[in-house]
Amino acid sequence: MLEETYRAARLEAPTTEEALARATKSANRPTAAVDQARKIMQLLINAGTLVHVGDFYFHRGALEDLTARLREYAARRHADRTIDVAAFKELSGVSRKYAIPLLEHLDRTRVTRRAGDRRIIL
């Protein structure tokens, strides 16, 4: 249930509290259910299924899909392999709330490199 919450959210990841609440909303023993959900979340993080990005956790599949779309975007642009925040928001379909942490994550993982107010897609 917890993994599915993040998988379904794609690039608009819920906060940890929201995800735990969704995963435990039908539980009869809320405190025990939240503790169990936290343990499951930690297992998902340790396995690399959930990736910490800024204040959020994203499903690895969503990040892999985003990387593939960025590389396709760069291939269409030929010599100019850059993207700005506005184009990234349009490509990814997310608000600035998610776009900035995602771009910083892509910089750290060497998918992009910051060049002024643009990113070079590597």
Side-chain angles (χ1 to χ4, degrees):
M1 180 81 156
L2 191 58
E3 181 180 358
E4 187 53 40
T5 297
Y6 281 98
R7 186 188 323 269
R10 304 294 303 152
L11 295 174
E12 294 183 341
T15 65
T16 302
E17 292 76 26
E18 291 169 339
L20 292 173
R22 289 179 198 170
T24 60
K25 72 179 181 181
S26 63
N28 293 332
R29 297 177 313 202
T31 304
V34 170
D35 289 343
Q36 183 179 16
R38 285 187 190 282
K39 289 176 184 175
I40 292 169
M41 184 166 183
Q42 190 60 53
L43 289 171
L44 292 170
I45 293 165
N46 292 347
T49 303
L50 296 182
V51 180
H52 189 234
V53 176
D55 293 335
F56 304 100
Y57 286 94
F58 292 89
H59 195 277
R60 177 182 59 215
L63 295 176
E64 289 170 352
D65 179 57
L66 176 61
T67 299
R69 285 189 285 154
L70 264 175
R71 292 200 167 124
E72 288 171 16
Y73 175 88
R76 288 192 309 263
R77 296 196 44 111
H78 303 292
D80 180 17
R81 299 176 57 89
T82 64
I83 191 166
D84 62 10
V85 174
F88 179 80
K89 286 171 44 180
E90 185 177 323
L91 176 76
S92 61
V94 298
S95 67
R96 189 172 185 84
K97 169 184 172 179
Y98 297 105
I100 299 303
L102 285 167
L103 283 166
E104 291 171 353
H105 170 76
L106 293 167
D107 292 344
R108 280 191 308 277
T109 58
R110 296 190 174 106
V111 173
T112 60
R113 184 178 70 232
R114 189 169 181 172
D117 61 347
R118 302 181 67 76
R119 297 313 203 275
I120 300 168
I121 303 166
L122 305 174

